[in-house]
Amino acid sequence: MTTLQNEKASHLLARHFGYRAFREGQQSIIESILQNHDTVGIMPTGGGKSICYQIPALLFTGITLVISPLISLMQDQVDTLKESGIGATFLNSTLDTATWRDRMIGIKSKAYKLIYVSPERLENESFLSMLTELDIDFIAVDEAHCVSQWGHDFRPSYRAIAVVVDRLRKRPVIAAFTATATPEVTKDIEHSLRLQSPNVYVTGFDRANLTFSVAKVGDKKSFLWEYVKSHQGQSGIIYAATRKDVDMLCDELTRRKISVDKYHAGMSDDDRASSQARFLYDETQIMVATNAFGMGIDKSNVRFVIHYNMPRNIESYYQEAGRAGRDGDPGECILLFAAQDVQVQKFLIEQSDTTLDRKAAEYRRLQSMVDYCHTTGCLRAHILRYFGEQPATTCHRCGNCNGSFDVVEITVLAQQILSCVVRLKERYGITTVASVLKGSQSKRMQELALQHLSTFGLLKDKSEKQIVAYVQMLVADGYLQVTEGKYPVVQLTAKAVPVLKEGQAVVIRVPKKSQHIADNSLFEALRQLRRQLAQAEGVPPYVIFSDATLRELSLHCPTTRQDMLAIKGVGDMKLAKYGDLFLTAIKHHTDGK
C-alpha cells in the first residue's frame, strides 16, 4: 500500500468507523487487497474482519460484492454502514418487487459501494446476468469456511462463487474471511474459490478474554439453574443439541422466572426473527438455541456461552463459544459433558445425507472434540493446536489450568490398558477394552471368548466407567488413537511403545481431594435437623440421610443445590424434598462462626 493509500485508509477508518488505529492484521490484509492480491484473512471472532473489506471497498473505483451467508447479518452490516455514511445495500428474498427495482436502479446509478448477497442468489441466472453488466472490482467472501466440504458448516451454494467470477467481464480481486479454519480447510478455500497465489494472513485464534472449562456433572439441569441464578442480569447463550432440549430448557427457565427466548429450525421464520430481535435488543437475558442460531450475530455483550451438550467438532464449538465477550470484556465458556453426548453426535453423523469421505472426516473431528472433553491439559492449548498453532502448554485462564490438581503417576495402569489393546489385536472399541479389564461376565465376553485373555480382570477393582475415563485420557494425551467411522476401534500410537517396552512414566493431573476436616458441631446440627424431619414424617432418621451423608455435608459445606448433588446419598428426589432445608442449616451454621 502506498503512503497515499495508507493515509486514505487511516482517514476512512477514523471518519466512518471512529477508530484511530487498525487492529492486529487489518492493515496487512487491506494492503494486500489494495495491491490486487487475492487474500485469505483468518481472524478471531471480534477481530474486525469486516473492516478488512469495507475500507478497500471505499478505495476501489468500482463496486464491491460481499457474499454473506445470513440475511440477518446482511441487514446488520448494511444498517451499520449507512449509519457510518457509506452507500451499501443488500439483495435477498425478503425484498418486495418495488424495493428490488429501486435498489437495482441505485446499483446501476452507482449509488452503492457495497452490495451484500447470499451465495444462493449467485445460482440465479437472471441475477448472474445482471452482475455481468456491473463494474465489480472486488469480491469479499465472508464465513469462507462454508465453501469447504471439510469445514463444519459446508454450504454447496458457496461453490457457485468461482463460476460467477468466470462470467464477469473482468476478474476482480477476491478475499476470503473466516474465524475458524484448520490448515486443511484453508487449502480447500484457496482451491474452491480458485484464488490466484493468495496472500494468507492468520492473526491468531486465541481469544484471551475468554475462559474455557469442561464440567462433567451428573445433573446438567441443576448446574444450569444455579449458574443462571448466580449470573442474573448477564446476557448469555445456552446451546443444546436438539430442538426437544431447547424447548425443555426454555420452558424450565421461564418457569423459574428467567428472562429467556429460544431459537431452532422447528420454529417459523417470524418466530425466530422475533426471538433473535428481543435477544439482540436486550429485551431477554438468555437465548436457548440449537446451532441454527448465531452465525453473524454481532451482539457484543454476551457474557457467557454454555453448551448443554457437546458439539460435533471443535470448529463449531469455538465459533459458538466465541460469541461470548465480543466487546473484549471477560466471557465464560462452559461445556457440560456427559458420555451419551458422544452417541448423540454419532447418530446425527449417521443420519446426515453426505458422502462417506465427509462422514469419515466428521468422525475424525468428533474424536478431537471428545479428546478436548477428556484432556487434563490446558484447554486453550488443545483448541489452538487443533487450528495449527503452537501455544504454551498452560494459559492460566482455563478450567484445567486454574483448577487444583495433583500430578499422579499411572504408568502401571496405562501399561495394563495398552497391553489389553494389544491383546485385543486393536480390533475393538473403548467399551470392550473396559469390559475385558473389568472382567465382565457378560454374554458378549463369552461369545467372543475374551475371558481367556491375560488382561481379563486386571482392573476388576475399578468400575467400567472409571476404566473408560482412563482410556479416554490416554487417547486425549496421544498414547492411543480411535479410528474413524460408526464403530471406532482403539489402537496404539508410537507414543505408547516406550511405555510398554521401556516403562516410560505416564502421569495425569487429577483434581485434588478436599483437605477440609469435618465440622463436628455442624454434623450434630444436621443430625438434629434430620431427627426433626424424621419425627415429622414418622420414619427412622437414616431414611432421610445416612450418617455418612451428613459427615460429607459437614466436610464439604455445599452452598448450592448443585454442590449438594455431588454428596453421596443425595439424589434428585431427596434434593427436591430436603435440599433447601439442609443448605439453609449449613449457611446458618457457617455464617454464625
Side-chain angles (χ1 to χ4, degrees), residues 7 14 115 155 197 241 285 302 332 360 366 448 450 470 506 592:
E7 290 176 356
I115 304 171
R155 299 269 288 269
S197 303
Q285 175 194 351
V302 175
E332 190 166 14
L366 174 61
L448 297 172
L450 298 180
Y470 280 117
V506 177

Side-chain angles (χ1 to χ4, degrees), residues 116-325:
Y116 286 75
V117 300
S118 70
E120 288 77 15
R121 178 63 52 183
L122 301 179
E123 297 176 307
N124 181 288
E125 182 60 34
S126 62
F127 182 75
L128 183 55
S129 297
M130 182 274 294
L131 288 181
T132 61
E133 300 174 7
L134 302 179
D135 181 23
I136 298 175
D137 283 344
F138 178 33
I139 293 180
V141 183
D142 203 5
E143 306 292 353
H145 59 272
C146 294
V147 78
S148 172
Q149 64 175 320
W150 309 119
H152 64 283
D153 193 25
F154 176 50
R155 299 269 288 269
S157 54
Y158 263 72
R159 296 297 177 101
I161 297 172
V163 177
V164 170
V165 173
D166 288 342
R167 292 277 297 273
L168 297 178
R169 290 184 298 182
K170 64 177 182 180
R171 187 187 186 281
V173 180
I174 304 173
F177 299 92
T178 181
T180 51
T182 62
E184 179 184 37
V185 170
T186 302
K187 288 295 183 184
D188 203 26
I189 289 172
E190 296 175 28
H191 172 75
S192 301
L193 294 177
R194 301 178 196 165
L195 302 185
Q196 297 179 358
S197 303
N199 292 327
V200 179
Y201 297 92
V202 181
T203 62
F205 291 91
D206 189 19
R207 295 284 305 284
N209 62 316
L210 301 185
T211 300
F212 296 90
S213 60
V214 175
K216 299 175 183 177
V217 294
D219 186 342
K220 291 183 177 183
K221 284 189 285 188
S222 292
F223 179 96
L224 206 55
W225 311 150
E226 294 297 334
Y227 185 92
V228 170
K229 186 171 68 175
S230 66
H231 290 74
Q232 285 277 19
Q234 292 188 0
S235 183
I237 303 172
I238 300 168
Y239 281 106
T242 66
R243 301 175 190 178
K244 181 180 178 182
D245 278 343
V246 168
D247 291 337
M248 178 272 294
L249 292 173
C250 185
D251 290 345
E252 286 282 356
L253 286 169
T254 300
R255 185 173 63 80
R256 292 167 186 263
K257 304 296 190 293
I258 301 296
S259 174
V260 63
D261 258 308
K262 65 182 179 180
Y263 189 107
H264 60 65
M267 299 163 59
S268 69
D269 290 345
D270 288 344
D271 285 345
R272 284 201 305 273
S274 297
S275 181
Q276 178 172 297
R278 286 190 295 270
F279 181 63
L280 290 177
Y281 288 97
D282 287 338
E283 294 174 16
T284 50
Q285 175 194 351
I286 291 173
M287 176 66 80
V288 185
T290 61
N291 61 6
F293 174 78
M295 184 184 286
I297 299 302
D298 287 334
K299 185 175 172 67
S300 65
N301 64 335
V302 175
R303 296 272 65 87
F304 63 85
V305 173
I306 298 176
H307 279 77
Y308 190 75
N309 309 103
M310 182 193 72
R312 189 180 302 180
N313 51 64
I314 288 178
E315 293 103 317
S316 295
Y317 176 66
Y318 202 49
Q319 185 175 68
E320 291 159 12
R323 285 160 193 150

